[in-house]
Amino acid sequence: MNTNVIQIHKNECIHCQVDSALSFRPLVEYLKGRLKTEKSVKSEFYRFLLQKIEKDDVLLGNISAEDLSQYKDTLELIFTILTPLMDNENDLFWALSTPIPDKIFFSTNAFYKFFKDHDPKNKVTKDNEPVEKKQLKFIYNAILSRFYNFTPLLKNEIIYAHINPETKLTQYYNIQTDTKFVDILHKGDLPELNFEELGRYFQNDTELEYLVKHLPLSNFLFEGFTIISITDVTLQHAIDGIRDALVDHNYQTEAYKHVIHALKTLSGNGKVEFGLMPFLTVNNKLVFDNQEFSQSMLINSAKASNLEEEVFYSLVEKYKENPRAIFVSSINDDQISKDPFLRVLKEAGVCSYSVLPIYYNNQLAGVLEVYSEEEVVVDDKLLSRLRPAMPLIGQLFQYSIEEFDAKMDEVLMDKFTALQPSVQWKFNEAVWHFLRNNGSQKLKEIETITFKHMYPLFGAIDIRNSTTERNKALKDDMEVQLNSLIDTLKAIRKHVSLELTDKLLFNCKDWIKRIGDFASSNEENKLNEFLEMEVYPFLSIIKGNYPVTAEFVDRYFEVIVPQTGAAFANRRQLEVSMQLINTEVSQYLERSQANLQASYPCYFAKFRTDGVEYDIYIGQEIAPDKPFDLLYLKNIRLWQLTSMVDIARLSKGLISEMPRSLETTQLIFIHSNAIDISFRNDERRFDVEGAYNIRYEVVKKRIDKVLIKGTDERLTQPHKIAMVYFNPEEAKEYMEYIKYMQVQGYLNDDLEELELDELQGVSGLKALRVGVKYLESKTGTKDDVARKLKPKEVKSIEKEIAKVLQR
């Protein structure tokens, strides 16, 4: 034990903070209290120490730290009672100090050596507060806790950092101060404190200003001694460092370096290095060529040795199937023959190499590498030191995986568009190639996504006469607006005599006659120009100069508010009706196409026009791992026809809910030949490739208004499904479907085979048209679901349909 006095603070004024007296009287009072209750053999120790202290009266009064060296025997007895008997004073960091820690007068040899060997400048704190301020907080902490039962301002602990000269690693120590044997005396009555007000000072970190003013230290006396203990918290500090990396949300290179440094601190061995390898995947396949997570010795060694990617990937995939801890204390030729991947590590200068699997939520998230240029054995002692960090590393790997996936999605959304699962796998590959090669400046443009030999299906659900309905709604609304304006101008004329008012009235009446003949948007623009350039400035000036007219003018402007005004009521009703149809049809298609994906993946693109149009592409390249057969094409064609019946029934059922009644037409374009499609990055959509394929696009965009040959009748009609085709064989297949659906009660027995007028650049078009059988008639009674057929007829049709689907 050591009785040399250690001056903790050399230049700071500590005694000026508060009066204090070094005394053992609080310990004496404590021992007397314990003797009243202690019945074991410990009481003899307490009694003996109590007699020894009371024998020397000077210990009960105010004694200097320097004078205590002559009472070493008594101090050693105090040490024996206040510390566990099994503790060795050469290993225990323990000491006694003045009531306000300033001078250490008794310490273990280990404590004394610690203070002599460690520079206080290495103290690690979260702020740069002066020592005097920290000591003042310590004093008030003790006072508030003792007299007011108030939560401490700060913990009575200080963290010191020290670089071990042997391992070159940083070690951390927690220095704690125990005030159990410090009595705090106060002169007179204790002042009352407003803790609500004090709380506001705490929020601003100015609580000392309040306390110094309301709780002056001149009225207090600290008497007794403090116990100082030092604990090695290196392991906990390292774990906290890893946790901080997670909290800071920095999961890239800097966080990985920080975690690796913390792991080295945990290991306590400066010769040990660590590598981190999160398992990042693209389409469920591992990828490693990523610059942000290149903290793996194995990956870097493999790259340096130009190891083929396939070999490396197969190695890791094999490990992923059977994850386990691998320990190689010294890489030799025998082990290289068993595990060839060790060769690249040896070439990189690695002598020992170990792998520990890291899990997150019971799922393998990556591996932790432990390696060294020297022979190192990863034993139970090292593993036990690393074990607390494993869950945190698992969390870090999970964040890395999520960060990587988010970046993949970000590029997908930026370079492409919202993608369907059926084709996203190919976009994932393209994005990964872009990210991998972009880091080495090899590729600046992302590759084009192409699917070859795809079978197209096109369908259109159009709102009948939508342009006519829109023009009618516009004319009705403009009439309301002009009549309201006429009423406003007449009201103004009663209060203001201006010839310009009569001219505007004349113009308004003239426009009411002209709106019935609106034939183009140009005339609508002229009306809007008249209102904005002539009418509205006039109304604004009149309202400003003649307050009596404000009521009339404001009432007119309320009429033309798009969201609520009467001059937009018809257009709002039309918009609500159109949205109702489009929303219900879109939701139906979304639900229905999900079932299609279950049979065979296909690309399904839906577009909003005045109605809803959709493209479907199906073929082998959509799902390379699943064999394609024409059976799936026939199945989706039958679905298309069935869905058109459902949509026609759905839209008819919505009429009673529409503020403006609208009807729909249903159109299918039949195209048997396969085409190629590619994703246009600039337009964020798929389009056809090649001159022949482009003809398909041209036809499908023009057939919606095609006429029946020799007539003025549009092919598309409400309550009917129209199917346009070129090849008679295509019609034959669909006629089998129609016959089947007539028997099932979906379609009427009114099939028409029609020839169509030539379109610009397109001739030879033909069509099938058939009526939809609705579930309920206009009178509300059920229609006959099917024409009664003889059993032989039914059986014959079913056989024909089966042959078509199997062919």
Side-chain angles (χ1 to χ4, degrees), residues 646-739:
D646 290 339
I647 290 171
R649 291 173 173 177
L650 174 67
S651 60
K652 184 175 184 293
L654 293 173
I655 290 178
S656 60
E657 300 177 33
M658 299 179 197
R660 201 176 183 97
S661 297
L662 299 173
E663 294 181 313
T664 62
T665 62
Q666 290 70 227
L667 173 67
I668 293 173
F669 180 37
I670 306 170
H671 188 85
S672 294
N673 297 324
I675 64 176
D676 299 338
I677 61 172
S678 63
F679 190 87
R680 300 194 181 278
N681 296 348
D682 52 345
E683 299 178 14
R684 301 292 194 270
R685 66 180 181 86
F686 274 102
D687 205 351
V688 297
E689 285 287 329
Y692 175 77
N693 297 333
I694 290 175
R695 186 168 180 264
Y696 164 78
E697 276 298 303
V698 171
V699 173
K700 83 175 188 184
K701 288 181 179 178
R702 293 179 179 174
I703 56 175
D704 62 325
K705 293 181 174 60
V706 68
L707 302 178
I708 297 173
K709 192 170 185 177
T711 72
D712 294 328
E713 182 185 350
R714 290 264 294 269
L715 170 65
T716 55
Q717 296 292 332
H719 318 302
K720 291 182 178 292
I721 299 174
M723 290 152 277
V724 177
Y725 64 94
F726 282 105
N727 191 337
E729 288 299 318
E730 298 168 340
K732 185 177 180 180
E733 179 181 338
Y734 273 79
M735 289 174 72
E736 297 290 347
Y737 299 149
I738 292 169
K739 187 184 297 184

Side-chain angles (χ1 to χ4, degrees), residues 119-137:
D119 188 350
K121 293 180 181 178
N122 287 336
K123 183 175 66 174
V124 178
T125 58
K126 295 183 179 180
D127 53 54
N128 297 316
E129 282 187 337
V131 174
E132 292 93 333
K133 186 174 181 180
K134 285 187 173 296
Q135 198 73 355
L136 197 58
K137 285 188 175 182

